[in-house]
Amino acid sequence: MGNEIMFAILAVFIIGSALMCVTTTRIMRAATFMLFVLFGVAGIYFLLDYTFLGAAQISVYAGGVTMIYVFAIQLVSKRTLQGLEERVKSSKMIVGGLAAFAGLVVVSLILLKTGFYTQALPNVEVPMKEIGTALVGSDKYQYVLPFELISVFLLACIIGGLVVARKEEKDV
């Protein structure tokens, strides 16, 4: 009973923080709310007794959000950080809301068509060693190659962000 109550608290915390993250107009607040979402997900890992995944969630994503803070400060103008820029137009918000609703409808229809909700899931607990082997193994259906590709992609994003942020000196 206590686990269900704690899960409900974490779920409300995650959903509330996620909504605040996408609705706020200030980039630093959005990054902070995203950090709260990631801490809530780590809380769910701890609730499931996956302490390694919870600790990895906190350490990896806390560092990632720190990088977001750095890029937000470097790439965004001072007026935007202070909230002095023009707000998003309501027509863009309506179009974005309709696109999000359309995505929700498509995903719901796919889940209903495949029978995902009607399948009975076995009550089997997967040991942490098996999860770790699946994440960093190189056999079939293991994920070391996607991890490496994502790390190269993130490195390219960091380099691209630094190139964009670098100010060109004008010769006078």
Side-chain angles (χ1 to χ4, degrees):
M1 180 67 180
N3 284 343
E4 289 87 4
I5 293 172
M6 193 62 200
F7 177 79
I9 291 170
L10 285 171
V12 169
F13 178 74
I14 290 170
I15 292 171
S17 297
L19 287 174
M20 291 300 294
C21 177
V22 298
T23 57
T24 187
T25 58
R26 295 190 178 190
I27 191 166
M28 299 302 273
R29 287 183 185 171
T32 303
F33 284 122
M34 186 173 70
L35 181 65
F36 293 158
V37 169
L38 298 172
F39 278 142
V41 172
I44 289 179
Y45 285 141
F46 286 126
L47 188 65
L48 293 171
D49 287 332
Y50 289 146
T51 54
F52 174 75
L53 286 178
Q57 174 86 6
I58 290 173
S59 63
V60 169
Y61 288 115
V65 170
T66 303
M67 289 301 294
I68 289 174
Y69 283 136
V70 170
F71 281 115
I73 291 169
Q74 286 183 351
L75 297 176
V76 178
S77 69
K78 184 177 179 182
R79 292 179 55 85
T80 303
L81 283 174
Q82 292 174 348
L84 301 175
E85 292 291 320
E86 182 179 331
R87 304 284 183 215
V88 178
K89 294 181 181 178
S90 60
S91 62
K92 288 184 179 181
M93 289 182 69
I94 291 171
V95 170
L98 288 174
F101 182 72
L104 176 68
V105 168
V106 168
V107 169
S108 299
L109 289 174
I110 289 171
L111 290 177
L112 287 173
K113 185 174 180 177
T114 59
F116 180 77
Y117 292 119
T118 59
Q119 293 176 358
L121 296 176
N123 192 8
V124 178
E125 186 170 334
V126 180
M128 184 54 81
K129 184 176 182 179
E130 189 174 327
I131 293 173
T133 303
L135 288 177
V136 295
S138 61
D139 293 334
K140 188 175 182 180
Y141 303 119
Q142 294 182 343
Y143 296 100
V144 74
L145 183 61
F147 275 144
E148 292 300 323
L149 292 176
I150 288 172
S151 67
V152 170
F153 176 72
L154 290 175
L155 179 63
C157 290
I158 290 171
I159 292 170
L162 291 174
V163 168
V164 169
R166 188 181 65 178
K167 302 220 183 323
E168 298 279 336
E169 293 185 20
K170 295 181 181 179
D171 295 327
V172 178

